[in-house]
Amino acid sequence: MPRAAKGKMAVWCVVIAAAVLLLCSKSSPLFVLNDWMDANIFFTMGKSLFNGKVLYRDVFDHKGPVLYLVYGLGWLLDHTGFTGVFVLEVLAFAVFLAEGLHCAALWTGRPLHPAWAVLPAVAVAASRSFSHGGSAEELLLPLLGAALCALLAGLERQRPMPGKAVLLHGLLAGCALWLKYTVLGFYLVWVALLTVWYIRHHWWRALGRSCGLYLAGMALATLPWGVYFGIHGALGDWFTAYFYDNLFLYSGTGGGVVALAQHFWWAVRDALPGAALTALFVVWAAVTRHRKAAMAVCLLAGGLGLTSLMGGYLVYYGLVMAVFVPLGLVPLATLAARIPLPAPGARLLPAAVLALGVAGCWVGSPNAPLRGRDAEAMPQYRFAQTIAETPGATLLNYGTLDGGFYTATGLLPPCRYFCVTNMPLQDQWTQQDALLENGDMVYAVALVGNLQDHFPRYRCIDQCSYDGGEGTVTWYLYQRQ
């Protein structure tokens, strides 16, 4: 593709990504705060990383360190909000859309106009599975998209994948591993499919070389974290929190094959337009000469769903399946190429498509009712004003997930268990209770209004109710007396 065409595609993808995420992601400036508790945990972990605290040892959560690094970079751009995270979301989503266009062009035989990216962008971002914005699943899409495009291109060619590409995809797979390891099923199938492809063509030497390069890439992605945790004596904390706790302590709703099938159906239900685009491609590929691509997509989707959906289901878990959505452009673009358009219509169509996509996001996003809320009505910023009046104030988010108060105040967490996660770890409660029993915190926030019954040194000085999209909740602000 000529450099000018690449530049045009990049601009279009960034514009489309920014437009749809501005309306759909709660990290965007149209939302006063991304009040999703998970996103605020990631933000607090990332902020702590860039302020010298050691992940897992000094601050606890159970996602991967790459996710916290991304949020930490976002914190560098905005210390008390999600503007920086939004910028990174836009860049990641733009890369994903560009990969989708490139992947679709493998079968159309010509580059698609970048305006085609509006369709998968809206199907993904305005879906229920997109949830609040800023999820690990959303940030995984460009990593998965790169691997999908390389695999499908490799199956269309009659030569091994270049060594540099194999090394790069190993590196990206390692990044995905340390972002959220539940996508490993996708990469295991990816490796298995390429292995079978190499064996069928008797590329024995290339197979051995590719295995070594792929593992080397994964090692390169792992090395910086091994050095980081090793220097700080936290290798045990890293593996315990990320692997042992997730595998053996985290409570899901798994129930074997029946539950997995149900979770697959829920993932389809919560992303129906995107699922329809994926199915459209599979059917088109199956009835044409591209049956290998149809089979590969089905196997990759099965592997991805197996490791992402087996243990339980939350609405955003299925978002990783959106990696296949841009493939639905292939049959649509093939059909559209047979419909002649007059020159004026052809020139105006891309802008019209973008406008329709924006309108669809404006109306269709589940987060639409939350745009433009008043900061004064949000407990996070209301309490932050009170806390800012006390020099040297300390704050504890007691008894629940991170409500965004560390974000709004800009304060660092005071302890390892700065909030209470879904992990059944008694140490969380023991540490938090001790802080309040000893009166170590100036302020505490909680979702219960009777903390003074258990911790007499604290009095409720304010309360605020609001609806973050999942029902009304009331936060209480306590101050040490």
Side-chain angles (χ1 to χ4, degrees), residues 37-46 54-65 67-68 71 136 179 229 237-243 245-246 250 316 401-402 415-423 425 428:
M37 289 180 163
D38 285 27
N40 281 283
I41 290 177
F42 308 155
F43 193 91
T44 301
M45 293 288 286
V54 178
L55 298 176
Y56 308 115
R57 188 193 72 184
D58 299 334
V59 282
F60 177 83
D61 187 43
H62 50 86
K63 294 294 193 302
L67 180 60
Y68 306 137
Y71 268 79
L179 200 155
F229 288 111
D237 298 291
W238 176 26
F239 283 96
T240 298
Y242 191 47
F243 288 115
D245 289 351
N246 274 311
Y250 191 72
Y316 53 89
L401 296 168
D402 190 333
C415 57
R416 184 187 191 207
Y417 298 111
F418 58 90
C419 66
V420 173
T421 69
N422 297 326
M423 289 288 181
L425 296 170
Q428 298 179 113

Side-chain angles (χ1 to χ4, degrees), residues 118-129 271-274 277 325:
V118 172
L119 189 57
V122 175
V124 173
S127 71
R128 190 166 179 262
S129 66
L272 197 55
L277 285 172
V325 171

Side-chain angles (χ1 to χ4, degrees), residues 35-294:
D35 51 12
W36 182 35
M37 289 180 163
D38 285 27
N40 281 283
I41 290 177
F42 308 155
F43 193 91
T44 301
M45 293 288 286
K47 173 171 65 176
S48 299
L49 170 65
F50 279 84
N51 280 274
K53 292 184 180 289
V54 178
L55 298 176
Y56 308 115
R57 188 193 72 184
D58 299 334
V59 282
F60 177 83
D61 187 43
H62 50 86
K63 294 294 193 302
V66 170
L67 180 60
Y68 306 137
L69 175 62
V70 171
Y71 268 79
L73 294 172
W75 171 83
L76 291 176
L77 298 174
D78 183 358
H79 284 8
T80 57
F82 283 82
T83 302
V85 174
F86 174 71
V87 171
L88 297 176
E89 280 187 66
V90 168
L91 294 177
F93 204 64
V95 171
F96 164 63
L97 295 177
E99 291 167 346
L101 289 172
H102 179 68
C103 204
L106 294 173
W107 292 279
T108 59
R110 56 183 175 80
L112 299 181
H113 191 286
W116 277 103
V118 172
L119 189 57
V122 175
V124 173
S127 71
R128 190 166 179 262
S129 66
F130 186 80
S131 193
H132 308 272
S135 67
E137 287 74 10
E138 177 190 345
L139 297 172
L140 280 164
L141 288 178
L143 302 178
L144 297 171
L148 175 65
C149 192
L151 175 67
L152 295 180
L155 295 179
E156 292 293 311
R157 291 194 298 261
Q158 296 299 315
R159 61 180 184 274
M161 188 179 296
K164 290 182 179 179
V166 174
L167 180 67
L168 173 62
H169 288 294
L171 177 67
L172 296 178
C175 292
L177 167 67
W178 301 118
L179 200 155
K180 192 173 183 180
Y181 72 85
T182 53
V183 296
L184 278 182
F186 176 93
Y187 288 99
L188 291 174
V189 173
W190 191 90
V191 169
L193 286 173
L194 277 182
T195 299
V196 171
W197 188 243
Y198 278 45
I199 292 174
R200 283 189 60 186
H201 288 79
H202 305 289
W203 296 332
W204 303 108
R205 181 176 298 179
L207 176 60
R209 181 168 175 263
S210 295
C211 288
L213 287 171
Y214 195 81
L215 292 174
M218 294 193 73
L220 284 174
T222 304
L223 180 61
W225 296 111
V227 172
Y228 167 78
F229 288 111
I231 288 175
H232 292 97
L235 288 171
D237 298 291
W238 176 26
F239 283 96
T240 298
Y242 191 47
F243 288 115
Y244 179 84
D245 289 351
N246 274 311
L247 290 171
F248 299 107
L249 298 183
Y250 191 72
S251 57
T253 56
V257 176
V258 174
L260 179 61
Q262 185 179 52
H263 298 163
F264 262 111
W265 160 239
W266 287 346
V268 170
R269 175 201 64 190
D270 292 332
L272 197 55
L277 285 172
T278 302
L280 183 63
F281 171 79
V282 172
V283 171
W284 173 85
V287 299
T288 62
R289 62 183 180 85
H290 303 293
R291 294 182 181 86
K292 294 190 299 294

